[in-house]
Amino acid sequence: MDNYLLAQDRARQAFLQRDHHSFAKRPGICANAEEITFRFLGTNTAVSLKTGEITFQWENQRWKADYSEAFSVYDWLCDSKPQALASGEFCPAHSLPGVYVAGSGLSMSPKCLAEAADQRPELFSRACEALGGRKLHLGDIAYEIPVVPGLTMALKFYHRDEDFPPSVTILWDKNTLEFVRYETIYYIAGALCQRLELAMSCL
């Protein structure tokens, strides 16, 4: 078993050891004897209380969580601060409180997403809206995207011009690190990229 799978299994075991009754008390989570359900990045999400397995459903697509998705969900469920509250203000990753890294923020890759948005901006907008996005007045196209109950992120797109290629950038709520750890935001960004590509291919 590789290191990613080992880390995912440790996170799953940590989830199974938690008091599952406490999850039902959290806003945006529904629970029964078998599973808890909520929305993660605009997709219906179910976590088995017996096995810890995570499954997603969007439209007619259904799949099991990969490492990035699973780690994001387990991190939020198990390690978010009890009184985590979004600020409603967005900033790049390197400007999150307590973070000291060089760079200009987290830009989404692969480049094919930015290229696709540049060629079909109306389809990109529809994909964002299909994931529950709310339009913002930033960049050329921007949306506020729900991450987990109570937390959103901002997605900002710029068309290509004579000097720069098209780009898609994520801005994070200033209180994101009350919900998940810093490294987890990179997993969330990758999961969002996958969902947008899926939505653009289906719409």
Side-chain angles (χ1 to χ4, degrees):
M1 185 178 292
D2 65 31
N3 289 336
Y4 287 107
L5 292 177
L6 286 171
Q8 181 176 338
D9 190 60
R10 285 195 295 269
R12 182 180 65 85
Q13 293 295 338
F15 166 78
L16 290 173
Q17 293 170 14
R18 292 300 177 103
D19 175 12
H20 295 155
H21 295 291
S22 65
F23 294 132
K25 301 176 183 178
R26 293 169 60 172
I29 293 181
C30 296
N32 58 40
E34 300 293 325
E35 63 185 13
I36 58 173
T37 59
F38 51 89
R39 289 180 69 79
F40 172 68
L41 294 174
T43 49
N44 293 325
T45 306
V47 186
S48 169
L49 297 178
K50 293 184 177 180
T51 67
E53 182 179 86
I54 303 170
T55 56
F56 301 105
Q57 184 167 354
W58 183 80
E59 299 291 336
N60 61 343
Q61 306 286 328
R62 187 177 178 87
W63 67 96
K64 294 181 181 179
D66 63 16
Y67 170 80
S68 295
E69 294 169 322
F71 199 82
S72 299
V73 169
Y74 291 139
D75 187 19
W76 169 63
L77 286 172
C78 297
D79 297 315
S80 62
K81 295 180 180 179
Q83 303 303 321
L85 185 66
S87 70
E89 299 180 49
F90 298 104
C91 65
H94 70 277
S95 295
L96 289 168
V99 173
Y100 302 96
V101 295
S104 57
L106 180 61
S107 294
M108 287 182 61
S109 294
K111 295 179 180 178
C112 60
L113 179 62
E115 292 287 349
D118 193 51
Q119 295 171 15
R120 297 287 303 279
E122 76 290 343
L123 184 59
F124 177 72
S125 293
R126 287 170 58 200
C128 290
E129 290 166 4
L131 296 181
R134 182 178 67 87
K135 200 164 188 177
L136 297 175
H137 298 292
L138 297 171
D140 292 326
I141 300 174
Y143 281 87
E144 182 178 2
I145 305 288
V147 182
V148 292
L151 179 67
T152 62
M153 68 209 302
L155 190 65
K156 181 171 62 174
F157 167 73
Y158 283 102
H159 285 287
R160 74 170 68 249
D161 61 24
E162 55 193 26
D163 296 315
F164 297 100
S167 66
V168 177
T169 303
I170 287 177
L171 300 176
W172 302 89
D173 186 278
K174 284 189 175 181
N175 291 346
T176 294
L177 300 187
E178 293 186 5
F179 292 82
V180 295
R181 287 173 287 187
Y182 178 73
E183 59 267 27
T184 303
I185 68 176
Y186 292 88
Y187 301 137
I188 293 171
L192 176 61
C193 183
Q194 293 174 349
R195 281 162 171 71
L196 286 170
E197 290 175 342
L198 172 64
M200 291 179 74
S201 69
C202 294
L203 293 173

